[in-house]
Amino acid sequence: MKIALLGNPGAGKSLIFNQLTGLGVEINRYPGTSVTLECGNVCYKKEKTELVDLPGIYSLDGSSEEETLVRTFLERGGADVIAAVLDATKLERNLYLFVQAAEFSPKMIVVINMIDEAERQGLLIDATQLSSFLGVPVILTAASEGRNIDRILPVALNEARPALVRVPYDHHIEAALKSLEKTMGTPIHTNLLALQGIGDDPILLDAAGAIAKEIELRHHMSVRQIIATNRHNFARGITASAVKKSERKKSYDLDSLLTRAFPGVPILITVLFVLLLSVFVIGSWMEAIIVESFTTSVITPFTALALPPLWDQIGFSMLIALQAGFGIAFPFIFTFYLGLSLLEDTGYMTRAAFVADRGMHRLGLHGEAIIPMVIGFGCTVPAVMSLRILKTRREQTIAAFLISMVPCSARTVVIAGIVAAFVGILWAFSIYIIVFILLILTAVMLSRITPGEQFGMIVEMSPLRRPKVHLVLAKSWLRIKEFLFIAMPLLIITSIGLGLLQFFGLTDAFQQMVGPITSYLLGLPGYAPTALLFGIFRKELAFETLAVLAGTADLGSVMTSAQLYTFAIVNVLFIPCTSTLAVLYRQVGIRITAIISIYTVFLGIIIGAVINILMK
């Protein structure tokens, strides 16, 4: 049995999906597209049920890749049951998508989510009456509280059925649908799409196109507009009958503060500053405790064993990797993702996009681009993948350059673990200031030379909520586990490999070849280029490799403050990691990816050389 979750963006699909499937989730690319689907399995009454989280969309007759994917999924009967997840606070708009999906005649249930938010707004939804209108079971849920989530599977498996609801279209549209069904033998949803010029049957499209022209001449508006109006009016009527409003006390509107230029912009800057400061302070505190404890309880006893040189090198390399990963990288990654999940759960991120819109326009983007850029502070890979929310090639190209330069959590590990820990917090913040200035200069340059049009932004405001501790922790864990299960094994393997290269003298040969160049240009020790090279795999590997090559996590004892600062800024600006390059290639193509790589390499070396000269 396969159940697919369908709904608008922000309706809570993904949260319901995660609560039903737990953490055993696979992310698969849908055949023939670049859109990924989350798939998971859940056992109910000793039988396995597969769940699919479809991309959030507003309509099934659009041309975006996500809309096309979901439309194709429904046409092919991709799931046994469609669970339509609707936002209780925006029921009319969400029902618009439901009535479209119902025309494909799949077995369905309706999950009205965010009922807790609706209650706070004084909205009372009559689930029984709504179920009688739609002809399918209706469940009222509050995913953030876990309310009624346990009812979804049994209802979907035992009570799902095709919806009885049918939109009463304009009589000219109805006549056209009957005519096409009679002459072409095609179902209603296919004919509705064909009247709007969507489909791959040229004969049907020709016939529907001729009818559509006649209808448009009579109505003086497009068939697409007529159909959309009929659906909206129908959804409005159902909502008016099933939703009642009660009196509620008027609460203070925080959006009046968060979405204005003042004090919205200062608030945004303060939020980002506090986030980074928290990462530095809390991460440094955790780092000091973990590193010292690990050294005392593990590394010192190991070195006292006096093992044969080869095994001693392998064991020491592995322990240094564990110390660098858990003691240095993990505290900063954990703190950052905790803060980012907190911001997302409050609904502040869409306000940040709105406030940033005017400033982002000057950089050739619109405010929604700040979302992938803020995500980029966590990890560049999902930030690049989220470029699809930007609709033009021009905006995607500019944003790809900027995201590649944003200090991600792995780069933050380098900044915090090296500069904040051994040079000073103010020096660490100065790297962000330098990167911010370079971002602006790069954006201004690209906005003038990148071809294409610039468009405005329409963004939906998520409701402001009190963050739920368990949801914040769950989101943080989903992100942190990538580091623990992907980066840590890679770090250990890389560290052991590097230890073997050191043991056999191969790293010395590489360092002798490029060491003089980096020493002259950047003032770095001979082993620093090797660390920068390993940073291409994952950015925090540069820092951790540096600790392995230096033979100590106390880098302040083997490098000067100027060297640590220069190394950090070069690594931050240097070529993106291989994972980022891979998703860049998929999103913007090999040409732009190559240009970004070359640009960041030269930028890192040039800025590093300037810093070296200034700090001599």
Side-chain angles (χ1 to χ4, degrees):
M1 175 70 78
K2 181 185 285 188
I3 300 172
L5 302 180
L6 171 73
N8 287 183
K13 274 188 314 88
S14 297
L15 180 54
I16 291 173
F17 175 82
N18 289 331
Q19 289 181 337
L20 290 174
T21 59
L23 300 176
V25 177
E26 292 182 4
I27 299 177
N28 301 316
R29 187 179 304 282
Y30 194 78
T33 74
S34 63
V35 180
T36 56
L37 298 179
E38 286 192 345
C39 305
N41 295 320
V42 59
C43 186
Y44 179 73
K45 290 188 176 179
K46 298 182 180 181
E47 291 189 11
K48 187 177 77 170
T49 300
E50 183 181 354
L51 264 68
V52 180
D53 186 12
L54 295 172
I57 57 171
Y58 294 105
S59 170
L60 286 169
D61 49 19
S63 57
S64 73
E65 198 169 15
E66 289 83 1
E67 290 166 317
T68 303
L69 182 154
V70 177
R71 189 166 63 237
T72 303
F73 187 90
L74 291 173
E75 285 175 339
R76 295 177 179 175
D80 300 295
V81 175
I82 300 296
V85 181
L86 314 183
D87 182 348
T89 65
K90 304 177 180 70
L91 192 57
E92 178 185 326
R93 194 192 63 204
N94 283 235
L95 280 171
Y96 181 87
L97 177 63
F98 171 83
V99 296
Q100 282 185 282
E103 290 167 347
F104 288 77
S105 300
K107 289 184 177 180
M108 301 185 76
I109 68 167
V110 169
V111 179
I112 307 293
N113 193 34
M114 300 187 186
I115 196 68
D116 53 333
E117 184 65 32
E119 289 168 355
R120 281 193 287 272
Q121 295 181 17
L123 300 176
L124 303 175
I125 299 175
D126 188 333
T128 303
Q129 190 168 7
L130 188 59
S131 178
S132 67
F133 283 140
L134 304 180
V136 295
V138 173
I139 307 169
L140 301 181
T141 67
S144 61
E145 300 175 355
R147 194 196 308 179
N148 291 337
I149 298 299
D150 58 334
R151 292 188 56 206
I152 295 175
L153 281 179
V155 171
L157 295 174
N158 301 316
E159 302 178 36
R161 53 186 179 267
L164 300 177
V165 66
R166 191 184 186 286
V167 178
Y169 290 105
D170 174 87
H171 66 282
H172 291 113
I173 300 292
E174 292 284 2
L177 293 175
K178 290 178 181 177
S179 174
L180 290 171
E181 184 178 7
K182 184 176 181 180
T183 57
M184 306 298 296
T186 44
I188 180 175
H189 67 267
T190 303
N191 295 334
L192 281 165
L193 291 170
L195 287 171
Q196 299 172 79
I198 301 170
D200 51 13
D201 184 340
I203 298 175
L204 175 61
L205 289 175
D206 285 344
I211 298 173
K213 285 181 181 179
E214 294 181 13
I215 295 173
E216 289 170 1
L217 287 172
R218 288 176 177 269
H219 285 263
H220 302 289
M221 61 191 301
S222 70
V223 168
R224 183 181 292 267
Q225 290 172 318
I226 298 169
I227 292 173
T229 301
N230 294 157
R231 287 171 175 161
H232 276 299
N233 289 338
F234 185 65
R236 184 181 300 118
I238 293 175
T239 304
S241 300
V243 180
K244 305 300 179 185
K245 290 185 178 181
S246 62
E247 292 294 326
R248 67 185 183 103
K249 293 181 180 179
K250 189 175 181 181
S251 59
Y252 184 75
D253 185 13
L254 279 176
D255 281 336
S256 61
L257 293 176
L258 298 178
T259 59
R260 292 180 180 175
F262 185 85
V265 172
I267 289 174
L268 174 59
I269 294 171
T270 302
V271 166
L272 295 178
F273 177 80
V274 169
L275 176 61
L276 294 176
L277 183 62
S278 301
V279 170
F280 290 153
V281 174
I282 299 173
S284 298
W285 173 72
M286 292 174 64
E287 177 200 0
I289 295 173
I290 297 172
V291 168
E292 184 178 352
S293 301
F294 196 89
T295 301
T296 305
S297 59
V298 180
I299 292 181
T300 301
F302 176 81
T303 54
L305 294 176
L307 296 174
L310 177 60
W311 293 108
D312 182 72
Q313 181 68 61
I314 292 174
F316 183 76
S317 299
M318 185 173 68
L319 293 178
I320 285 290
L322 289 171
Q323 183 188 45
F326 287 113
I328 300 174
F330 178 76
F332 299 105
I333 291 173
F334 170 77
T335 309
F336 178 82
Y337 278 137
L338 203 61
L340 184 62
S341 299
L342 189 65
L343 290 179
E344 288 179 339
D345 209 47
T346 59
Y348 178 70
M349 293 298 288
T350 49
R351 275 89 186 159
F354 184 83
V355 168
D357 186 54
R358 181 175 295 181
M360 297 296 284
H361 257 78
R362 295 174 182 172
L363 304 182
L365 300 165
H366 59 62
E368 209 164 0
I370 200 172
I371 294 176
M373 292 187 71
V374 172
I375 293 173
F377 278 102
C379 181
T380 312
V381 172
V384 173
M385 293 175 67
S386 66
L387 285 176
R388 63 172 65 97
I389 69 174
L390 306 178
K391 301 305 181 185
T392 68
R393 176 73 175 179
R394 179 179 187 270
E395 290 176 335
Q396 290 181 357
T397 300
I398 295 173
F401 270 86
L402 302 187
I403 289 170
S404 300
M405 296 169 62
V406 168
C408 62
S409 60
R411 287 163 164 154
T412 297
V413 168
V414 176
I415 297 171
I418 293 181
V419 183
F422 299 110
V423 185
I425 288 181
L426 292 179
W427 286 98
F429 271 110
S430 71
I431 292 182
Y432 284 95
I433 294 172
I434 291 171
V435 172
F436 182 70
I437 293 170
L438 292 172
L439 279 170
I440 292 176
L441 295 175
T442 301
V444 170
M445 175 188 70
L446 290 172
S447 66
R448 295 183 178 180
I449 65 174
T450 307
E453 292 184 78
Q454 183 174 354
F455 296 95
M457 177 189 73
I458 299 175
V459 63
E460 179 182 346
M461 291 292 181
S462 303
L464 289 170
R465 306 185 187 93
R466 287 192 184 95
K468 309 282 186 181
V469 175
H470 67 283
L471 294 181
V472 171
L473 292 176
K475 282 184 181 180
S476 302
W477 167 246
L478 287 171
R479 290 162 169 162
I480 292 166
K481 73 173 185 175
E482 180 194 0
F483 170 77
L484 294 177
F485 298 123
I486 297 176
M488 277 301 298
L490 178 62
L491 171 59
I492 293 170
I493 293 169
T494 303
S495 181
I496 293 173
L498 186 59
L500 291 173
L501 292 175
Q502 275 186 296
F503 183 79
F504 292 109
L506 296 177
T507 55
D508 291 337
F510 175 75
Q511 290 165 13
Q512 288 173 7
M513 182 173 62
V514 300
I517 301 173
T518 54
S519 177
Y520 175 76
L521 281 177
L522 306 175
L524 297 176
Y527 49 79
T530 306
L532 288 171
L533 188 64
F534 276 88
I536 296 175
F537 296 103
R538 282 186 69 95
K539 282 298 174 180
E540 68 267 35
L541 276 180
F543 177 23
E544 292 144 4
T545 303
L546 192 66
V548 173
L549 293 171
T552 177
D554 183 14
L555 296 174
S557 64
V558 292
M559 292 173 67
T560 66
S561 297
Q563 288 176 323
L564 291 170
Y565 188 85
T566 303
F567 178 87
I569 200 163
V570 171
N571 183 67
V572 167
L573 295 172
F574 208 57
I575 185 171
C577 67
T578 50
S579 299
T580 301
L581 293 175
V583 294
L584 276 171
Y585 168 71
R586 291 201 298 266
Q587 291 294 127
V588 295
I590 190 169
R591 177 173 163 271
I592 299 299
T593 302
I595 294 172
I596 289 173
S597 301
I598 295 168
Y599 177 73
T600 51
V601 166
F602 278 99
L603 190 65
I605 293 173
I606 290 169
I607 298 301
V610 171
I611 296 296
N612 178 43
I613 293 170
L614 294 176
M615 297 188 75
K616 274 186 177 180

